[in-house]
Amino acid sequence: MMSNHDEQFEATHTEGSKMGIDLVGKTVKNKQIIFKGYIDGSPMENDMELKLGDGLKLEVPKGSNAIVVKNLYLSCDPYMRGRMLDFRGSYIPPFTPGSAIEGFGVSKVVDSDDPNFKRGDLVSGITNWEEYSLIHKTDQLRKIEQDDGIPLSYHVGLLASGAVGQLVGQLAKLHGCYVVGSAGTSKKVELLKDKLGFDEAFNYKEELDLDAALMSRYFPEGIDIYFDNVGGAMLDAALANMRIHGRVAVCGMVSQTNRTDTQTFLNMFSVISKRVTIKGFLQSDFVHLYARFLEDITGWYKQRKIVYIEDMNNGLESAPAAFVGLFSGKNVGKQVICVASE
């Protein structure tokens, strides 16, 4: 669903930073989404539980260099599925069973012992799936400068590392590319073409032969650039259809999260015969470019050169269902949880 951001942002903006001052020193019953234990297969709602904490004092211990925040928006992201596995060979550690789930969010500072943040500041970065969080790793946070043209929730999607697929295609169009996208429902296919401006799009669930579909209908002369966020059969089909010196950027492997066997690729010889470059990357490798990214994306959005689609769920209690829905394609656009509007 689409949220009424103008109304929501006005309420946020007018309340100002007074909220943080009013709450300092109070003890609250802190609602949390707890990760129950490591899983196999697709995540289910009962792998998480809504729990009322024992009580959190909204005050930072002196000398801790920590901050206490009120969480406003939380991001639901497919990579979090990997953190539900008892696997420590990834770039990010697994969740801790019995503790609140960790993820990207937008929050407001209630109290601070870190000189870089003051009461009332808005921040984005790693927080917990709960109403209030005590954060020690403040180096993972970024201060948000409010912009009347950009709703706060966009800082977990449009202006962060979320909403990857919809942004990649639009950025490619801005740079003069012919863009074809794939999605899992007819509704999403139409959104890619009609709202996001992709040249073509198709429902991968309806294609019996992905190799042939790419070759005959969309890329008869081959693919120059493939941005991969799913892996599996789609990556294999793209490899079969790359042009000489084509490039593949590997950002995600969401199709592989529930596999227990090793993925076998049939078209890897194309990498040799066509001299294809395949490179994996993480957004954290490019943090030094964030200021430029923020300026560009904000400008393009305000100029209506970029469209952003957000799927907003209200209430912390809605988070488990929203997260699980990612893996069956229930969300339309970037999935966000509104914990509080302040």
Side-chain angles (χ1 to χ4, degrees):
M1 70 180 188
M2 305 293 284
S3 59
N4 187 336
H5 289 297
D6 292 338
E7 200 173 288
Q8 167 187 297
F9 187 78
E10 180 60 27
T12 299
H13 186 70
T14 54
E15 286 182 29
S17 60
K18 186 170 66 174
M19 175 277 296
I21 298 171
D22 292 343
L23 291 173
V24 175
K26 291 185 178 180
T27 298
V28 296
K29 291 287 187 180
N30 194 25
K31 269 198 245 180
Q32 302 174 301
I33 301 296
I34 301 297
F35 174 57
K36 292 168 68 174
Y38 298 121
I39 67 173
D40 294 312
S42 294
M44 297 185 292
E45 289 183 49
N46 61 12
D47 294 321
M48 301 159 271
E49 66 174 327
L50 179 68
K51 188 175 179 181
L52 199 60
D54 295 332
L56 175 67
K57 188 174 183 180
L58 302 180
E59 189 173 36
V60 179
K62 299 302 179 187
S64 65
N65 207 51
I67 66 173
V68 171
V69 300
K70 180 175 183 176
N71 294 312
L72 306 178
Y73 299 99
L74 300 172
S75 177
C76 288
D77 296 298
Y79 84 88
M80 297 168 72
R81 161 69 180 84
R83 300 193 69 187
M84 292 181 160
L85 301 173
D86 189 10
F87 175 68
R88 287 164 174 77
S90 180
Y91 61 93
I92 190 168
F95 292 137
T96 301
S99 296
I101 285 178
E102 187 180 70
F104 200 78
V106 167
S107 314
K108 192 159 194 175
V109 177
V110 175
D111 193 24
S112 174
D113 191 54
D114 184 328
N116 296 309
F117 302 100
K118 66 180 187 299
R119 294 175 183 177
D121 279 350
L122 292 162
V123 297
S124 64
I126 300 299
T127 186
N128 293 329
W129 279 23
E130 55 192 358
E131 292 179 299
Y132 299 91
S133 296
L134 174 63
I135 301 177
H136 289 277
K137 295 180 179 179
T138 56
D139 60 330
Q140 298 181 346
L141 300 175
R142 180 181 294 110
K143 194 181 297 186
I144 294 174
E145 298 298 331
Q146 282 190 291
D147 185 323
D148 288 347
I150 305 289
L152 284 179
S153 61
Y154 285 19
H155 287 269
V156 296
L158 179 68
L159 304 179
S161 58
V164 174
Q166 58 174 296
L167 281 184
V168 166
Q170 292 184 83
L171 292 175
K173 284 295 296 180
L174 281 173
H175 287 82
C177 295
Y178 164 77
V179 177
V180 177
S182 67
T185 68
S186 298
K187 179 180 179 181
K188 290 181 180 180
V189 167
E190 292 308 311
L191 277 173
L192 291 179
K193 293 191 292 185
D194 297 341
K195 194 170 182 66
L196 302 186
F198 287 32
D199 294 290
E200 284 289 351
F202 61 91
N203 186 340
Y204 64 85
K205 293 180 181 178
E206 296 178 350
E207 298 293 343
L208 299 178
D209 188 336
L210 286 171
D211 287 22
L214 292 179
M215 181 182 295
S216 62
R217 296 210 302 275
Y218 303 112
F219 296 101
E221 297 180 8
I223 302 168
D224 290 298
I225 302 169
Y226 172 54
F227 185 93
D228 183 36
N229 213 17
V230 296
M234 186 64 73
L235 173 57
D236 208 22
L239 290 176
N241 286 279
M242 297 302 294
R243 295 183 70 178
I244 292 176
H245 299 302
R247 292 173 288 161
V248 179
V250 183
C251 177
M253 288 275 172
V254 71
S255 71
Q256 304 303 293
T257 53
N258 296 327
R259 291 184 68 96
T260 57
D261 59 333
T262 301
Q263 172 70 34
T264 300
F265 288 94
L266 304 176
N267 298 316
M268 284 299 290
F269 188 76
S270 293
V271 177
I272 301 171
S273 61
K274 298 175 181 177
R275 286 83 84 195
V276 174
T277 299
I278 304 176
K279 186 173 183 178
F281 72 95
L282 301 174
Q283 62 85 21
S284 55
D285 294 338
F286 301 95
V287 170
H288 62 288
L289 298 175
Y290 183 75
R292 175 184 165 189
F293 167 81
L294 186 64
E295 180 180 356
D296 287 346
I297 294 294
T298 299
W300 287 327
Y301 175 74
K302 289 182 177 180
Q303 295 165 34
R304 301 183 184 274
K305 292 181 178 179
I306 278 183
V307 175
Y308 177 57
I309 303 173
E310 184 178 70
D311 193 331
M312 181 77 76
N313 278 37
N314 290 305
L316 184 64
E317 62 278 1
S318 71
F323 175 69
V324 169
L326 291 177
F327 301 94
S328 59
K330 287 186 178 179
N331 62 302
V332 179
K334 169 64 183 177
Q335 185 68 70
V336 180
I337 307 300
C338 177
V339 182
S341 60
E342 284 198 63

